[in-house]
Amino acid sequence: MMTLLLIGGCQRSSTPEPIQSAPERVVRLYNWADYFDEKILEEFSARTGIRYELETYDTSDECFARIKSDPAACDVFVLEDTVISAMRELRLVRRIHREKLPGIRHLDPGFLDLEFDPGNLYSVPYTWGTTLLAYRKDKVDPKPTSWTALFDEKYSGQVMMMDDSQESFAITLTTLGFPMNSSVPRELESARSKLIEQASLVTGYSDFSTILDALIDGTCWVAPMYSGDAADAAEAHPQIGYVIPEEGATMWIDNFAIPRDAPNVDEAHLFINFMLDPEISGRNAGSIWYASPNLSARAHTSEELLQDEQIYPAPEVLAKCGFLKKLDQPRLQAQNEAWAEVRRSPSLEARAAIRSTSPQ
Amino acid sequence: MSRSRSFGTIHTQVLLYFLLAGLLPVVLLYLLTTTFTRNTLETTEYRKIEILTGEVSRKISIIMQNATDDLKALAANHVLFESIGNQDARDANLRRVHDYYDDFTDVTLYETNGSVVASTTYQFYETVEHTDWFDQAVAGRVAITRPHKMIGRPGLFLNVYFPVMGPDGKTSRVICAGIAFDSVWNSLDGTQLGDSGYYVLLDGYGNVLSHPNKNMILEKFTDIDAATWRNESKGFARDEIGRKFMYAVRRLSRGETKVGEPWALVGLLPAEEGLWVLRRQQSLQLNVGLIAILVTFLLGIRLSKMLARPIADAASAARKVREGRLDARIRESGTNELRDLACAFNEMVEELDAHRNHVKSLVDHQTEKLRRSEVNLRAHAAELERSNNELESFAYVASHDLQEPLRKVITFGDRLRTNYKEQLDDRGVDYLSRMQNASRRMQTLIQDLLAYSRISTNEICFENVNLDQVLQDLLSDLEVPISESGARIEWSNLPIIEGDALQMRQLFQNLLSNALKFKKPGVSQVITIRGRKEEFPDSESFYVLTVEDNGTGFDPKYSTRIFDVFQRLNSHAEYEGTGIGLAICRKIVVRHGGSIRATSSPEGGAKFIVKLPAARTAAPEEADPSLVTAESRYA
């Protein structure tokens, strides 16, 4: 509270704008696109009198870069475990006041106190999912069961990859039969070569929504996709299918976190605790079609979502999946080097051409 | 009493005043110098912090300027515009160029879309295309990041983004150079803030940019209470565990740092250390103060002794004088006033001594006179006793020896009367008769006198005497005279006393005879004898015997004379008697240690009251006053 006021005071002193007479309470949210049920946000404002502002992003790099540029840019943001872990090390996130979040008790202990944030000092799990393989049912036959589809020359010019070096590296390592978190130089080198080699097949390294659009309009046949978004698209467009490949997939937890210099820390906690409410959490999960780590929310979650095997995978499928580990320096370097090369591959120009001719 | 010390004594009061006199300046001095020194110290520390802040901002400016200049030079290098070769070749080129610029930890060349053209490290975590500074650089402005950490590398870094202009005048690429932020700080290491003081550099959000404890980097600054240092640019503050610090804050404007929000440099010095000089000065002052107080105290003791000792001496001398030792004197020393006091006292005592000696000589003189009178008196008394004894012996001898010739006179008178009656005429018979009567009276007189003197000469034989029995025996002997006079005798409560039975009988006989003798004509005579015991708690007890009659009585003015020898209040014609009876009575009573007195009222009747001690006491062998009287009379 003290810190909040002080930061407020500091801001006032650094900006010449007049002080508002009636301090309106506000919470500034920063989240993936389509990752909140906005009705629920409105409900939050109605219940607490705290106005919300929502800004969205399409890649975790975007979110990370934004918060690194300005650790006071928002009050609550949502980001996956590995990035949270990096942000912890880079001191970009603020410690959570556990006592202000009684709703944490509803969370499945299996999602708490994990390696990326021991003790959940900086983050609170929001949803979880996998990065799986999405495809066009009408173009890819038979139904793909392996990540190798992304590297299949058959689909040259119809493959898209996420603009996410870590995810892409993990997929490549998995495809090659290596552990997804490998730091072995030889394996990293293999993955690098494989990725550079793949670049000729890839039409674009994009954010998830661009890929989704491409899947829907048929310019893309196979691509990695976040489980919930794939399911969402598949429901609207029956020709889209998705699968957790047999090699396994990366699992991730998206978390609420508070940036280091967030001005509205109290409101941020109130919001996070609101989102931990079982009823709210259940409804929200049903709306965004993502699995919630909120055990108590199951009672308020639609049966259909709970039955979706790609959202709540069977234990034997889950056993093949794993979390990405925090990037260590040699792996980070290898990824960055590879990614620099991949992004400068000739196919980039091709992608740029597609973009410039696209009506959007 | 003499040595009791209270606030009342001069000693204590003088000491108290001296203590106060010693303490007051010390305390005042202490407070004043403390305030002064503290202010000086604080100002000094704040000045140090200000100088250092200036140094920091200057350093940052210089580094930024140098970096910008270097980047400008770097950007002009044609190598950067070549896209030829593979990634490794491009990286190698960049590394070669980078080698010329020591200040940069790493250099990365970006396309304007954010993809990496070449890098010396590849150790960055993020893609840059969404960052503010990259956007600024693409827009053609130099941008400097706020200090940030890097994955897997210690310390803080700044990045400078510099636009590389293409031939068309637009930004064609962006160079990003890393600068170790610590270098700014390390250059200030020489500037120490005391032994354990330190500086903390904070960004606009209160995040630690520089701290002796590297773990604090980019954490919120909590070393001292934020409310304090944000409101007051200098003063004292406490940390979370209560330690006190002197602090001073100097803010660096954005113009000074060119990086983000206004920073703040906080200098912190543990109050203990900051005020070390003050403490040392305080302890020095305390020591000096203590010595001063001690000296004052000792002076006080000296002075109070100087004042109090003569007074105590005077008091002691006065006590001696009171006890009578007039040789006591006070030493005439010290200050004039004290000498005056001593002189006055001594003079007073001398005068007192003279007076006393005078009085003493007077008393001695009188005592001597008294002593001589006493000696005379004793001689007289001895002489008196001797003559008294002589007189008694004489009386005894005389009365005894006188009887013999008297008896002969009487005997021969009887024979004369019997044998020569016829030869005598009536006149002769009458003469003879008168002669014989006179002789017999004389005999009685002599016998009484003898009895009287015997009481003095005979030893008293003390025994238990039942007075009741004594009286009854006596009454049976006196039966005839009593019945003749028709008197009624009543008695009661007669005790048993220790005394001489014969003398007691004599006492009662004389008193009864006396009572019977003075019968009032025409009145039936009643004689009452009573006894009672008078007891006194603190002195001896007495038996009181009263013999009361209703006779003629006597004139009360003779109430003492009647006990004298030969004192008769009446003529022989009226009442016969020798005038010795009551004298004998008194003598007996006196010899028994008692007393006798007589009262009478004008209406008649006499009452004799005898007081005898209940317990036997040896009768004082004193001179018989009656005899003395007699003697003096004879003399």
Side-chain angles (χ1 to χ4, degrees):
Chain A
M1 184 67 199
M2 178 61 78
T3 323
L4 173 75
L5 288 176
L6 287 168
I7 287 169
C10 177
Q11 271 210 326
R12 277 201 291 276
S13 64
S14 63
T15 50
E17 288 162 20
I19 300 156
Q20 282 122 12
S21 54
E24 184 197 36
R25 295 182 85 185
V26 64
V27 61
R28 297 176 303 150
L29 311 171
Y30 192 41
N31 196 4
W32 291 91
D34 305 322
Y35 213 28
F36 278 138
D37 181 349
E38 291 232 21
K39 276 190 216 132
I40 282 170
L41 301 185
E42 281 156 19
E43 203 171 318
F44 169 74
S45 288
R47 265 201 228 172
T48 59
I50 299 170
R51 190 168 56 80
Y52 76 90
E53 285 172 10
L54 177 64
E55 222 183 307
T56 61
Y57 58 86
D58 290 322
T59 67
S60 36
D61 269 350
E62 188 182 343
C63 174
F64 175 87
R66 178 75 202 284
I67 287 170
K68 193 186 173 189
S69 294
D70 182 9
C74 65
D75 301 315
V76 180
F77 66 96
V78 175
L79 209 48
E80 74 257 27
D81 43 60
T82 47
V83 190
I84 292 287
S85 169
M87 289 178 111
R88 247 190 90 153
E89 183 175 341
L90 298 174
R91 306 270 163 86
L92 291 171
V93 282
R94 185 187 191 94
R95 269 184 89 119
I96 298 278
H97 290 296
R98 196 62 175 265
E99 70 278 6
K100 291 181 180 171
L101 300 176
I104 280 187
R105 69 181 187 280
H106 299 303
L107 296 181
D108 182 346
F111 288 95
L112 294 172
D113 198 20
L114 296 175
E115 198 186 335
F116 74 92
D117 184 14
N120 283 82
L121 299 176
Y122 296 88
S123 64
V124 179
Y126 169 51
T127 52
W128 66 275
T130 54
T131 300
L132 40 61
L133 184 65
Y135 62 97
R136 286 286 296 219
K137 287 180 182 170
D138 53 339
K139 310 283 184 188
V140 183
D141 192 55
K143 174 187 170 184
T145 55
S146 164
W147 289 115
T148 49
L150 292 173
F151 302 88
D152 194 334
E153 294 201 2
K154 268 199 292 185
Y155 307 120
S156 177
Q158 315 298 337
V159 178
M160 287 188 85
M161 290 293 280
M162 287 189 168
D163 190 7
D164 183 323
S165 60
Q166 204 178 355
E167 283 278 14
S168 302
F169 242 75
I171 288 169
T172 311
L173 284 165
T174 312
T175 313
L176 289 170
F178 303 134
M180 65 171 77
N181 287 306
S182 172
S183 280
V184 179
R186 189 177 50 79
E187 294 174 358
L188 289 172
E189 185 51 41
S190 303
R192 181 191 176 198
S193 308
K194 182 90 177 166
L195 269 172
I196 292 169
E197 187 187 312
Q198 185 213 20
S200 59
L201 313 177
V202 176
T203 54
Y205 297 87
S206 303
D207 60 72
F208 79 99
S209 52
T210 306
I211 296 172
L212 271 182
D213 289 346
L215 276 170
I216 290 163
D217 66 23
T219 50
C220 172
W221 295 355
V222 278
M225 181 48 55
Y226 303 128
S227 52
D229 295 292
D232 227 10
E235 195 178 349
H237 309 280
Q239 68 271 36
I240 293 176
Y242 55 95
V243 64
I244 295 179
E246 58 196 13
E247 296 94 340
T250 55
M251 263 177 86
W252 39 258
I253 301 173
D254 273 332
N255 303 274
F256 293 113
I258 302 175
R260 186 183 70 209
D261 300 327
N264 306 309
V265 175
D266 263 358
E267 287 78 1
H269 282 91
L270 281 171
F271 176 75
I272 295 170
N273 196 51
F274 176 79
M275 294 305 289
L276 288 170
D277 179 84
E279 197 264 329
I280 298 292
S281 175
R283 269 201 284 143
N284 188 61
S287 168
I288 63 173
W289 213 257
Y290 267 98
S292 167
N294 194 320
L295 278 182
S296 313
R298 296 274 173 103
H300 306 278
T301 310
S302 72
E303 271 305 304
E304 204 188 339
L305 175 60
L306 294 174
Q307 295 302 323
D308 190 329
E309 283 198 357
Q310 306 305 327
I311 301 302
Y312 289 99
E316 66 272 14
V317 177
L318 263 189
K320 292 187 289 180
C321 302
F323 289 104
L324 288 173
K325 286 201 172 133
K326 193 190 98 174
L327 283 171
D328 48 21
Q329 202 51 270
R331 192 153 154 251
L332 175 67
Q333 207 168 336
Q335 276 188 21
N336 280 338
E337 279 183 42
W339 209 240
E341 207 159 342
V342 164
R343 296 241 321 205
R344 286 183 58 78
S345 68
S347 65
L348 266 181
E349 275 79 54
R351 185 184 63 143
I354 291 169
R355 238 192 209 164
S356 58
T357 55
S358 154
Q360 291 166 329
Chain B
M1 166 205 152
S2 58
R3 292 284 156 210
S4 76
R5 289 203 175 156
S6 67
F7 286 106
T9 65
I10 287 182
H11 191 71
T12 324
Q13 286 198 359
V14 168
L15 283 188
L16 273 177
Y17 289 138
F18 267 73
L19 263 183
L20 274 179
L23 207 58
L24 208 63
V26 169
V27 169
L28 273 177
L29 200 68
Y30 181 85
L31 290 177
L32 284 174
T33 51
T34 297
T35 314
F36 179 74
T37 314
R38 189 190 187 120
N39 286 342
T40 312
L41 278 174
E42 286 180 13
T43 313
T44 312
E45 292 308 322
Y46 301 140
R47 187 78 201 120
K48 265 193 207 169
I49 292 170
E50 281 186 347
I51 290 169
L52 196 70
T53 319
E55 187 76 6
V56 169
S57 50
R58 199 172 57 83
K59 200 85 190 172
I60 292 172
S61 296
I62 289 170
I63 286 174
M64 291 307 146
Q65 195 54 54
N66 289 346
T68 315
D69 291 349
D70 285 356
L71 275 178
K72 216 180 271 177
L74 187 66
N77 197 310
H78 64 96
V79 171
L80 304 181
F81 298 95
E82 295 167 0
S83 315
I84 48 156
N86 61 10
Q87 188 83 38
D88 292 339
R90 289 198 300 273
D91 291 344
N93 272 343
L94 187 62
R95 273 195 284 274
R96 256 201 315 281
V97 176
H98 171 226
D99 285 345
Y100 294 105
Y101 305 99
D102 292 341
D103 286 347
F104 302 140
T105 55
D106 55 83
V107 178
T108 303
L109 187 63
Y110 293 96
E111 296 287 1
T112 50
N113 70 357
S115 60
V116 177
V117 179
S119 173
T120 58
T121 72
Y122 290 102
Q123 286 185 352
F124 45 83
Y125 179 80
E126 72 282 12
T127 53
V128 295
E129 54 193 300
H130 300 286
T131 59
D132 293 350
W133 31 78
F134 186 75
D135 291 348
Q136 283 182 36
V138 170
R141 294 191 300 275
V142 177
I144 301 167
T145 66
R146 64 183 82 232
H148 58 84
K149 286 176 73 75
M150 288 179 73
I151 296 277
R153 291 177 65 177
L156 282 180
F157 299 87
L158 289 169
N159 281 103
V160 184
Y161 286 81
F162 189 86
V164 180
M165 294 302 169
D168 54 354
K170 286 185 178 173
T171 307
S172 64
R173 283 175 177 171
V174 173
I175 304 177
C176 171
I179 300 165
F181 180 71
D182 290 352
S183 67
V184 175
W185 195 251
N186 291 342
S187 66
L188 298 172
D189 272 356
T191 317
Q192 279 291 318
L193 189 53
D195 287 335
S196 49
Y198 59 96
Y199 292 100
V200 178
L201 187 64
L202 303 172
D203 73 7
Y205 290 111
N207 299 304
V208 172
L209 298 181
S210 168
H211 196 286
N213 176 3
K214 299 293 177 208
N215 289 331
M216 289 303 296
I217 299 298
L218 285 188
E219 296 287 349
K220 296 289 176 196
F221 177 61
T222 55
D223 289 14
I224 53 171
D225 184 25
T228 318
W229 70 264
R230 281 196 188 271
N231 294 328
E232 295 288 334
S233 67
K234 57 186 181 179
F236 288 87
R238 290 185 184 279
D239 68 1
E240 284 165 334
I241 58 168
R243 279 179 310 172
K244 202 174 179 187
F245 286 91
M246 278 178 75
Y247 76 87
V249 185
R250 166 87 155 68
R251 281 169 219 285
L252 288 77
S253 71
R254 188 166 181 157
E256 284 176 297
T257 60
K258 298 184 171 62
V259 182
E261 301 76 11
W263 291 358
L265 182 70
V266 185
L268 290 150
L269 186 63
E272 281 287 302
E273 192 196 319
L275 300 177
W276 174 78
V277 177
L278 180 62
R279 296 271 176 271
R280 202 182 54 172
Q281 187 183 325
Q282 282 175 335
S283 83
L284 195 70
Q285 280 175 358
L286 275 182
N287 287 335
V288 170
L290 280 178
I291 291 169
I293 291 171
L294 190 70
V295 168
T296 325
F297 192 72
L298 290 175
L299 281 175
I301 290 178
R302 175 92 184 85
L303 183 71
S304 68
K305 269 189 181 159
M306 206 165 84
L307 285 173
R309 186 184 280 162
I311 293 172
D313 286 352
S316 157
R319 266 193 299 280
K320 280 186 190 162
V321 170
R322 196 190 61 193
E323 286 160 12
R325 289 152 64 191
L326 290 179
D327 57 338
R329 293 291 183 279
I330 305 175
R331 210 146 40 90
E332 294 177 9
S333 64
T335 60
N336 291 343
E337 295 88 341
L338 292 172
R339 259 205 306 280
D340 282 352
L341 177 70
C343 280
F345 182 87
N346 289 344
E347 280 167 14
M348 180 189 79
V349 175
E350 272 160 23
E351 208 162 304
L352 208 59
D353 197 17
H355 273 295
R356 192 184 70 162
N357 288 341
H358 177 64
V359 170
K360 189 164 176 275
S361 69
L362 277 180
V363 169
D364 285 351
H365 180 65
Q366 291 301 324
T367 310
E368 181 57 24
K369 269 170 80 179
L370 209 61
R371 196 185 58 75
R372 266 187 246 129
S373 308
E374 199 186 333
V375 168
N376 284 345
L377 209 59
R378 279 183 200 285
H380 280 295
E383 179 62 27
L384 203 61
E385 195 176 353
R386 191 185 52 76
S387 61
N388 206 12
N389 287 343
E390 271 178 17
L391 192 64
E392 277 182 15
S393 325
F394 164 78
Y396 180 77
V397 170
S399 49
H400 189 267
D401 291 352
L402 281 173
Q403 285 198 79
E404 174 58 18
L406 200 56
R407 266 194 303 274
K408 284 204 165 92
V409 170
I410 292 167
T411 305
F412 287 110
D414 282 347
R415 282 181 192 168
L416 198 62
R417 189 179 183 135
T418 311
N419 299 340
Y420 301 98
K421 193 175 174 181
E422 289 80 25
Q423 284 118 347
L424 290 178
D425 57 5
D426 289 347
R427 185 178 279 190
V429 171
D430 181 42
Y431 287 166
L432 189 62
S433 184
R434 283 196 198 182
M435 186 186 75
Q436 279 190 302
N437 280 347
S439 300
R440 281 198 187 93
R441 261 202 328 275
M442 188 169 174
Q443 192 178 29
T444 310
L445 192 63
I446 288 169
Q447 279 170 351
D448 283 356
L449 207 55
L450 193 60
Y452 179 79
S453 76
R454 268 190 195 128
I455 289 167
S456 299
T457 51
N458 288 7
E459 281 294 309
I460 296 180
C461 175
F462 279 101
E463 57 189 336
N464 278 341
V465 180
N466 188 339
L467 293 183
D468 200 82
Q469 189 60 51
V470 168
L471 185 64
Q472 285 190 37
D473 290 350
L474 178 66
L475 289 177
S476 66
D477 288 352
L478 294 178
E479 196 179 347
V480 176
I482 290 170
S483 60
E484 274 176 3
S485 70
R488 182 157 56 85
I489 315 285
E490 294 175 355
W491 73 94
S492 61
N493 290 337
L494 294 182
I496 297 171
I497 64 157
E498 266 186 278
D500 189 310
L502 281 175
Q503 288 188 3
M504 282 300 120
R505 180 188 165 92
Q506 184 80 50
L507 175 69
F508 276 129
Q509 186 176 346
N510 287 10
L511 288 174
L512 275 176
S513 303
N514 192 63
L516 286 170
K517 197 183 334 176
F518 298 101
K519 179 180 186 299
K520 205 184 246 180
V523 176
S524 66
Q525 199 173 16
V526 179
I527 301 169
T528 314
I529 305 163
R530 295 190 202 290
R532 71 170 197 278
K533 192 172 185 184
E534 272 187 3
E535 280 179 299
F536 302 97
D538 292 332
S539 63
E540 53 182 333
S541 304
F542 290 92
Y543 289 113
V544 179
L545 308 172
T546 54
V547 178
E548 193 173 7
D549 61 56
N550 56 350
T552 55
F554 58 89
D555 189 336
K557 68 179 179 188
Y558 300 119
S559 59
T560 49
R561 265 177 67 183
I562 58 173
F563 293 108
D564 290 349
V565 185
F566 303 129
Q567 284 297 328
R568 289 177 55 93
L569 305 180
N570 312 95
S571 66
H572 286 292
E574 271 183 280
Y575 302 100
E576 60 177 38
T578 57
I580 292 182
L582 289 178
I584 290 175
C585 283
R586 184 169 71 175
K587 189 138 192 154
I588 290 171
V589 171
V590 167
R591 291 211 69 189
H592 276 78
S595 64
I596 186 167
R597 61 192 176 92
T599 61
S600 177
S601 57
E603 298 85 46
K607 185 176 184 181
F608 289 85
I609 301 149
V610 177
K611 241 174 142 178
L612 292 171
R616 186 178 86 94
T617 47
E621 290 295 328
E622 61 175 29
D624 190 329
S626 61
L627 284 181
V628 170
T629 323
E631 182 204 58
S632 56
R633 200 166 47 221
Y634 292 136

